[in-house]
Amino acid sequence: MEVNLLGPLEVSREGVVITPSAPKLRRMFSLLALQANNLVRTDQIIDELWEDRPTTSAATTLQTYIYQLRKLLGLSPAQGVRSARAADVGGAALHTLTNGYVLTLPSNSLDSSRFERLARRSRAELESGAVETAAETLAEALRLWRGPALADVSTGPILDAETRRLEELRKGVLEQRIDVDLQLGKHNELLGELTMLGAQYPTHEGFQAKLMLALYRAGRQAEALHVYHRTRDALATELGLDPTESLQRLQLAVLSADQSLSLSTSGGSTVLTRRARPPRQLPPEGAVLIGRRAESTAALEALCTGRGRAATVVVIAGAPGVGKTALCNHVAHQAVDKYPDGQFYAKLLDGDGSPVEPGEVLAGFLRAVGVADERIPSSTDERSRMFRTWTTEHRVLLVLDDAVSAEQLRPLLPSSADCGVLVTSRRRLFVAATSMTVELRPLTEPEGIQLLTGVLGSDRVSRDEQSARELVKLCDGLPLALHSAAALLQIRQHWAIARAVGRLSMEICESSFGTDILGLWGSVERSCSMARPDAQDAFRRLAKMDTDCFSAALVAGALEVDERHAESLLEDLAELRLIEVATFDERIGHTQYWFLPSVRAVGRALATQNDLCLLA
């Protein structure tokens, strides 16, 4: 089955178009397809189809729609979860679960998924310096679009948000492709497209700036200045704003014929200077951090003062969803002036929970500093030596997100004391070169309220502050969970905070497989996958127990293992921050362990998933 959402809805099987024609069926199928291979809850589908006016028979009508979709599209009426979360299933099927439905599709049959994969690939190619390859990848991604996403589908609140998200991604990829084409000296070829985009988006400063640059490089300085004045007038008339500083600087550069706007050439061909520039690989800085001033100051001070003869290494650790990556990224952006020769970034755990090989990361770093592929050594040790040699003469910052082990980190560490390394990890790590470990705690109640206020606004929070406090407690003060809850309330502006508290409380109590409880499912699942198999099993079984605290002796009895083995399992889970460790109590003579309630809820859902998979 082929499903195309980037334009009018189009569903086909073996070249035969089988797109639903009924509006409600089209809307429901679009929702299931956009969430392909993931659970879509029944209440979400009802919200999408009927919005604020569900009929009393909505649940029954929904079942009828599911039956009609299966019949029309030839979808298998699969039951259970054998392949409900698989992303590479052999054929399409519409699964029924206890609290919703999963449309499984082969990994390459959905155009929106292909688009997002190509966008990610192009970013990696650009980071490695493969500019021309990235240009081809970006163009391939944009060719998938046949018009606005779901152009002929009447959308409800969830689909409307999704189509807006896809449109913003498309604009971002389009801007990136134009940037790359400008790097490649294609300014004359771009003029027609940029002129059209400039007329279509008169207040989009990114497109207007690119049009100005293309015109200037084509020798049309006066027209480039005219574009600036036209944009300034549009911003003032439509939005009451002045141009940003970057656009104003571009205007001054055009006026003064600044040489920085010109392409350098050699022998008549464009010379790409990207590789000669310091790598700038940090992700964009996110939202303002709440409640992390002390941790941020300590990490920044360690990076900016530097000690000893080796690179400064700061490790940030904490429970799933506590905001390790956000703090790391914030500190990295604050420290860039200390490391003028470049900033490198690598994710050390891939999407399916597998560790990324250090050799692969090093190859990307070497490409980013201009080493040609044919000169990159084949072995990890040789790549490590080459990178360390380069770092001896450069002051650079490495940001290594989601490190799995000290063994994975060691080949990546630079040798110069003038370099810095920021590491996030799901487990506590000991690295000989570590200068500091920052242990992140959940936010306090006032900090959680501040976070919600920043997203939802003070008026909405103050109207129901008691419910806001309950929401912070429900989320255990974990920023990821709080942002997930706030995003739900942003989408559903008509909801009171108390309603979200009720909905999320029910999800935690039910702990159903497939429900992304407080947005923590993926983070907890990846942390769990890093544990050894018997510890994974222990985590799921302990999550189902009703006791608040447990000791090695209690766990030994519950799991039918000896106490020494039970303690080993508990310590493994504590290293991964899947359980917490209470202070040693001399009165009872042993260590007590406990769960964050939100992490326990995901653990119960994972246990349910495991049980169902064994039965399926």
Side-chain angles (χ1 to χ4, degrees):
M1 176 182 286
E2 293 288 329
V3 180
N4 295 320
L5 308 174
L6 304 181
L9 175 64
E10 184 178 272
V11 187
S12 61
R13 190 187 292 275
E14 297 179 355
V16 178
V17 176
I18 52 174
T19 311
S21 58
K24 282 283 200 291
L25 290 186
R26 293 166 66 82
R27 189 187 296 191
M28 183 169 69
F29 180 79
S30 299
L31 177 62
L32 292 167
L34 276 170
Q35 299 294 327
N37 305 309
N38 289 286
L39 175 79
V40 182
R41 298 195 311 271
T42 301
D43 64 286
Q44 290 178 306
I45 300 175
I46 290 174
D47 282 351
E48 176 65 26
L49 295 184
W50 287 279
E51 301 185 34
D52 293 331
R53 300 177 297 279
T55 63
T56 54
S57 60
T60 303
T61 305
L62 176 58
Q63 292 174 356
T64 302
Y65 290 161
I66 292 292
Y67 168 78
Q68 291 173 346
L69 271 183
R70 284 174 173 152
K71 183 177 179 181
L72 175 65
L73 304 181
L75 295 168
S76 168
Q79 301 284 335
V81 298
R82 180 180 297 274
S83 55
R85 288 177 63 81
D88 55 355
V89 293
L94 183 50
H95 302 254
T96 300
L97 277 71
T98 54
N99 57 341
Y101 300 91
V102 178
L103 174 66
T104 53
L105 291 172
S107 58
N108 208 40
S109 66
L110 188 64
D111 62 350
S112 59
S113 295
R114 295 200 301 275
F115 170 73
E116 294 195 51
R117 281 199 300 274
L118 288 168
R120 288 193 296 271
R121 191 173 88 191
S122 69
R123 287 194 292 271
E125 290 165 347
L126 283 172
E127 287 172 0
S128 68
V131 181
E132 293 183 357
T133 303
E136 294 171 4
T137 303
L138 290 162
E140 182 182 351
L142 291 167
R143 281 195 294 270
L144 293 171
W145 286 77
R146 299 165 292 113
L150 298 176
D152 58 351
V153 175
S154 172
T155 60
I158 302 175
L159 278 181
D160 185 62
E162 276 295 311
T163 54
R164 290 174 186 271
R165 180 186 71 85
L166 286 169
E167 176 60 22
E168 289 304 315
L169 283 176
R170 186 192 70 82
K171 286 182 186 177
V173 169
L174 179 58
E175 280 198 81
Q176 187 72 75
R177 198 222 79 217
I178 293 170
D179 277 336
V180 171
D181 284 347
L182 285 169
Q183 285 189 60
L184 293 168
K186 298 181 179 179
H187 41 271
N188 284 312
E189 295 96 317
L190 287 169
L191 283 173
E193 180 182 13
L194 283 170
T195 299
M196 180 189 69
L197 289 169
Q200 187 177 358
Y201 301 102
T203 60
H204 192 296
E205 294 187 58
F207 291 143
Q208 306 297 339
K210 290 169 181 57
L211 175 56
M212 288 176 64
L213 182 57
L215 286 166
Y216 176 82
R217 287 182 178 175
R220 296 157 67 174
Q221 184 182 24
E223 291 175 67
L225 293 171
H226 175 71
V227 171
Y228 173 80
H229 292 298
R230 186 184 67 197
T231 305
R232 183 191 60 189
D233 292 344
L235 286 167
T237 303
E238 297 185 26
L239 303 175
L241 298 174
D242 292 324
T244 58
E245 287 186 15
S246 61
L247 196 66
Q248 292 180 39
R249 285 196 298 271
L250 178 59
Q251 182 219 14
L252 293 174
V254 171
L255 278 169
S256 60
D258 194 313
Q259 288 299 307
S260 66
L261 300 182
S262 302
L263 283 168
S264 58
T265 59
S266 178
S269 62
T270 299
V271 177
L272 298 176
T273 59
R274 185 184 185 284
R275 291 191 180 189
R277 298 172 185 165
R280 304 285 188 234
Q281 297 182 354
L282 296 183
E285 191 164 7
V288 176
L289 287 185
I290 304 297
R292 301 300 190 211
R293 179 174 295 177
E295 294 91 340
S296 175
T297 300
L300 191 59
E301 182 180 340
L303 285 173
C304 291
T305 55
R307 303 181 184 89
R309 300 178 181 178
T312 301
V313 181
V314 177
V315 178
I316 300 173
V322 80
K324 300 180 287 293
T325 297
L327 176 64
C328 178
N329 196 32
H330 172 75
V331 172
H333 278 277
Q334 297 299 307
V336 291
D337 290 343
K338 167 73 175 177
Y339 302 101
D341 296 328
Q343 300 88 44
F344 298 86
Y345 172 85
K347 187 86 171 170
L348 300 185
L349 193 69
D350 66 20
D352 65 2
S354 302
V356 177
E357 290 297 323
E360 182 181 337
V361 176
L362 287 164
F365 288 171
L366 291 170
R367 291 189 191 100
V369 299
V371 179
D373 282 350
E374 59 270 18
R375 289 189 54 228
I376 295 176
S378 57
S379 76
T380 298
D381 285 345
E382 289 175 311
R383 291 176 181 182
S384 180
R385 283 194 292 272
M386 179 180 280
F387 182 63
R388 283 175 176 161
T389 300
W390 183 86
T391 63
T392 58
E393 298 178 356
H394 297 85
R395 291 179 293 167
V396 297
L397 176 66
L398 273 65
V399 176
L400 305 173
D401 195 16
D402 241 345
V404 173
S405 65
E407 290 71 25
Q408 185 191 36
L409 283 176
R410 287 189 188 102
L412 305 176
L413 299 181
S415 56
S416 170
D418 291 328
C419 297
V421 185
L422 271 170
V423 180
T424 71
S425 178
R426 295 173 184 276
R427 70 187 329 144
R428 294 186 177 95
L429 295 177
F430 173 74
V431 182
T434 301
S435 302
M436 171 184 291
T437 297
V438 177
E439 286 278 350
L440 280 190
R441 54 173 176 77
L443 299 179
T444 63
E445 183 182 284
E447 290 167 348
I449 294 293
Q450 186 181 352
L451 186 154
L452 292 174
T453 300
V455 178
L456 302 176
S458 57
D459 289 345
R460 195 171 180 191
V461 173
S462 62
R463 283 199 301 268
D464 195 358
E465 192 167 339
Q466 179 58 39
S467 294
R469 287 196 290 270
E470 291 175 15
L471 185 57
V472 174
K473 183 177 180 182
L474 192 67
C475 294
D476 292 322
L478 298 175
L480 179 62
L482 284 165
H483 277 293
S484 177
L488 175 67
L489 286 164
Q490 279 289 76
I491 291 172
R492 301 178 182 180
Q493 291 282 336
H494 56 288
W495 276 25
I497 296 176
R499 184 171 178 184
V501 170
R503 169 66 62 81
L504 296 173
S505 297
M506 182 175 64
E507 287 184 1
I508 289 174
C509 290
E510 292 178 352
S511 300
S512 303
F513 158 61
T515 300
D516 189 5
I517 300 165
L518 297 172
L520 294 172
W521 178 291
S523 183
V524 174
E525 186 178 38
R526 284 191 292 276
S527 294
C528 185
S529 70
M530 292 171 59
R532 62 185 202 253
D534 57 346
Q536 293 182 37
D537 181 63
F539 172 67
R540 292 188 293 262
R541 293 175 65 180
L542 291 173
K544 294 165 69 175
M545 294 171 59
D546 291 330
T547 181
D548 291 332
C549 290
F550 38 90
S551 63
L554 177 67
V555 171
L559 302 184
E560 299 180 347
V561 297
D562 63 60
E563 191 168 334
R564 185 175 179 180
H565 187 195
E567 184 178 31
S568 173
L569 293 172
L570 290 168
E571 289 298 327
D572 194 30
L573 295 175
E575 283 181 20
L576 286 164
R577 301 305 299 270
L578 290 168
I579 60 174
E580 302 298 314
V581 183
T583 305
F584 181 82
D585 192 334
E586 293 182 356
R587 294 173 299 172
I588 57 178
H590 55 72
T591 304
Q592 292 282 92
Y593 304 84
W594 56 284
F595 275 107
L596 285 172
S598 54
V599 174
R600 181 204 291 269
V602 179
R604 285 175 175 161
L606 289 171
T608 301
Q609 173 192 359
N610 187 65
D611 293 344
L612 289 171
C613 287
L614 292 174
L615 291 172

